[in-house]
Amino acid sequence: MGSAGDITGWITLFFGLYGLAAGVGEFRNPGFWSKMVREIQTSSGLQFVTGIVVLSLGAIIYLLNPFNPSDWLSILITVIGGWIVVEGLLILAVGDWFMGLASRMMANGSRAWAIFAIVFGFAAIFAGLVRLQV
C-alpha cells in the first residue's frame, strides 16, 4: 500500500502491468482482442457493462491521482484517466459505432498493437518503479 505521494507511481505501475499482460495475451492467442471487440460490438448488454466499468475506472483514476502541474507523470496519468472517462461515455452513448471504430483499428494490426502494449507496459512499469523508488 502506498502513501498519497506514491499514488501516481502505483497507477503507472499497474497501467504497465496491464499493458504487458494484455500484449502477451494477444501474442499467445492472436486475434483475441479483435474477437473481444466484435463481441462487445454485437451485444447491447456487454456494451453497457463495458461502458460502466470503463467509465468507473477512468473516474477513479482521474479523481484519485494527485494532480501536480509541475509533474509530467501526474499530468499524463490525469489525461489518461480523463480519456478513459470519455471512452466509457462513448461506449455507453454510441457503443456500436465506437466499438466498430476500435474493430477497424485492430483489424490487420493486432501484432503491432500487441508490440505497442508490451513496449508501453515495460515503459510504464519502469516509470512507476522509478517513481516509487523500489
Side-chain angles (χ1 to χ4, degrees):
M1 188 76 169
S3 66
D6 295 337
I7 290 173
T8 300
W10 282 109
I11 292 171
T12 305
L13 177 65
F14 282 109
F15 271 148
L17 293 171
Y18 162 76
L20 181 61
V24 168
E26 176 64 21
F27 268 118
R28 191 186 68 72
N29 186 7
F32 173 76
W33 292 355
S34 293
K35 181 180 177 188
M36 179 182 54
V37 169
R38 282 192 309 274
E39 288 175 359
I40 294 170
Q41 185 180 10
T42 60
S43 171
S44 298
L46 280 176
Q47 283 179 31
F48 182 77
V49 170
T50 301
I52 290 293
V53 169
V54 171
L55 174 64
S56 299
L57 289 174
I60 289 167
I61 291 164
Y62 186 84
L63 294 171
L64 290 182
N65 183 56
F67 181 73
N68 178 354
S70 63
D71 177 10
W72 70 269
L73 190 56
S74 172
I75 294 168
L76 179 63
I77 295 300
T78 300
V79 168
I80 290 171
W83 168 249
I84 295 171
V85 168
V86 170
E87 187 176 10
L89 292 171
L90 287 170
I91 293 169
L92 287 169
V94 289
D96 52 342
W97 173 83
F98 188 73
M99 297 312 290
L101 176 65
S103 181
R104 286 188 298 278
M105 286 177 62
M106 288 187 209
N108 297 320
S110 65
R111 185 174 175 86
W113 281 112
I115 291 168
F116 174 77
I118 290 171
V119 170
F120 168 80
F122 277 124
I125 289 169
F126 177 77
L129 290 175
V130 166
R131 175 58 59 97
L132 296 169
Q133 299 174 355
V134 173

